[in-house]
Amino acid sequence: MATLMAVLARPFRRGPAGLGLRLRREATDGPWGRGRTWSEVLRKSLHRGLVLSTGSFLAYEAHKVTFGFAEVHASFKVEEVIEQADYLYGSGETEKLYQLLVQHKNSDDAELLWRLARASRDLAQLSSTSAEEKKQLTYDSFEYAKKALEKNESNSAAHKWYGICLSDVGDYEGIKTKIGNAIVIKEHFQRAIELNPKDATTIHLIGIWCYSFAEMPWYQRKIAATLFATPPTSTFQEALRYFHMAEEADPNFYSKNLLFLGKTYLKLNNKKMALLWLSKAKEYPAQTEEDKQVQKEALELLNSI
């Protein structure tokens, strides 16, 4: 379970750690959005003059109101706000993205709401965010994801972020709640995949879920046994299947998926395949701090074999 907590705390952060940089090279309907590639989002933003580099943001800065929040002009369509939000997300502008989207917290549009859930979570993860603010943002992000699902149950990203945010809330409510929510989290990840089978990141997260329960320590198993008539269980074989499914959906998409393929093969005492995947993880181009950590762990494991 600790593995699941640790991974959910990292993959979606902005900046040097996480999967945020992937937005530049994948469809936003992969893990993030509506089937538009990042270049398409940028081209449309260029055409409409909404947001371009630093100066482009003036189109939205021009409508600032009190407390420093930017006000999107009333004539903006939801689609245009989403395009602007996707640009800011891809640029790593976490605070500006949150300021843009929080104005729409009462919206009935699921696409806006799950993006607001993600933005709130990203803001909570910043080192500059106080502990009190982080807790509030964590609960807010869950409520936004919940509302997104209420508005559109068939939205894949809403299911993904509901699962992620529910896991985050469990961090404040103790290990019993965390384990108690585990089945619900997996169900939402699975539903997200049903709706978007090519979402490699969600498939990877289910693999992490399986890996976490396969290696769950005895004391956590005892807690799970008190919460469920039939406690959730998994195996390293099941985790391996999901990690491979993620690679099939988007080959070489994430250094950590390569690492966990190697680690899972080690758990299954298949050193030959472990060497193969750990070597791939070690050689993965390091674009983020997380990639560097993956390289370091992969090298350590390779040296231990």
Side-chain angles (χ1 to χ4, degrees):
M1 203 64 197
T3 303
L4 181 61
M5 294 181 196
V7 171
L8 287 181
R10 286 196 296 261
F12 305 96
R13 291 183 188 174
R14 304 277 48 76
L19 292 178
L21 294 177
R22 290 189 53 221
L23 183 63
R24 293 179 175 86
R25 62 177 186 270
E26 67 187 357
T28 52
D29 199 14
W32 317 115
R34 289 185 167 183
R36 300 185 305 272
T37 63
W38 172 243
S39 59
E40 289 170 341
V41 171
L42 181 56
R43 281 199 301 271
K44 293 190 77 172
S45 294
L46 280 162
H47 178 68
R48 295 180 180 182
L50 286 176
V51 279
L52 304 174
S53 65
T54 304
S56 67
F57 198 68
L58 293 174
Y60 129 71
E61 291 278 338
H63 300 286
K64 281 198 171 180
V65 292
T66 57
F67 306 111
F69 286 141
E71 178 186 40
V72 178
H73 193 276
S75 65
F76 277 18
K77 297 178 181 178
V78 168
E79 182 73 15
E80 293 172 333
V81 176
I82 288 173
E83 288 173 6
Q84 186 172 353
D86 288 347
Y87 179 89
L88 292 173
Y89 180 77
S91 302
E93 296 281 3
T94 303
E95 294 179 358
K96 289 178 180 178
L97 174 61
Y98 174 79
Q99 291 169 6
L100 169 67
L101 290 175
V102 75
Q103 299 168 86
H104 303 280
K105 64 182 180 181
N106 296 320
S107 171
D108 290 331
D109 190 283
E111 290 288 332
L112 282 174
L113 290 167
W114 74 252
R115 283 172 169 82
L116 177 55
R118 181 183 65 185
S120 301
R121 184 182 189 273
D122 286 346
L123 188 60
Q125 299 291 335
L126 294 180
S127 59
S128 58
T129 302
S130 69
E132 183 178 351
E133 291 171 326
K134 179 176 181 178
K135 182 176 181 180
Q136 184 62 55
L137 286 164
T138 297
Y139 279 90
D140 287 348
S141 65
F142 174 70
E143 290 301 320
Y144 298 141
K146 180 180 177 182
K147 186 178 177 183
L149 273 184
E150 291 170 354
K151 299 304 178 183
N152 186 357
E153 192 281 334
S154 296
N155 188 297
S156 171
H159 281 282
K160 173 199 287 187
W161 289 98
Y162 182 92
I164 292 170
C165 295
L166 179 59
S167 179
D168 290 344
V169 167
D171 292 342
Y172 290 98
E173 300 188 354
I175 190 66
K176 284 188 177 181
T177 300
K178 192 82 172 181
I179 295 175
N181 289 338
I183 289 179
V184 177
I185 292 169
K186 186 180 182 183
E187 287 173 348
H188 281 281
F189 286 162
Q190 289 176 323
R191 178 62 174 148
I193 292 173
E194 289 175 9
L195 294 166
N196 185 5
K198 296 298 184 181
D199 185 352
T201 55
T202 305
I203 300 171
H204 168 80
L205 287 174
I206 295 183
I208 294 294
W209 189 99
C210 295
Y211 188 98
S212 300
F213 274 92
E215 70 165 4
M216 180 180 284
W218 66 269
Y219 67 91
Q220 290 187 4
R221 291 185 188 277
K222 289 188 69 174
I223 294 173
T226 67
L227 298 174
F228 302 98
T230 305
T233 60
S234 190
T235 64
F236 291 116
Q237 288 87 347
E238 185 178 16
L240 186 68
R241 181 169 66 87
Y242 280 106
F243 293 141
H244 273 298
M245 285 173 59
E247 282 301 307
E248 290 170 7
D250 191 357
N252 212 39
F253 76 107
Y254 185 27
S255 62
K256 207 146 201 176
N257 198 64
L258 303 175
L259 176 67
F260 269 92
L261 277 162
K263 291 175 68 171
T264 308
Y265 273 117
L266 275 182
K267 293 287 188 180
L268 296 171
N269 295 314
N270 188 332
K271 291 185 177 181
K272 180 179 179 181
M273 293 302 294
L275 285 168
L276 172 66
W277 290 103
L278 290 173
S279 295
K280 289 185 177 184
K282 181 179 72 72
E283 295 165 5
Y284 191 92
Q287 297 181 338
T288 69
E289 287 300 317
E290 186 176 49
D291 291 336
K292 294 176 183 177
Q293 289 298 317
V294 165
Q295 288 181 340
K296 180 181 177 181
E297 185 175 353
L299 181 59
E300 290 172 352
L301 290 170
L302 285 168
N303 289 337
S304 69
I305 298 176

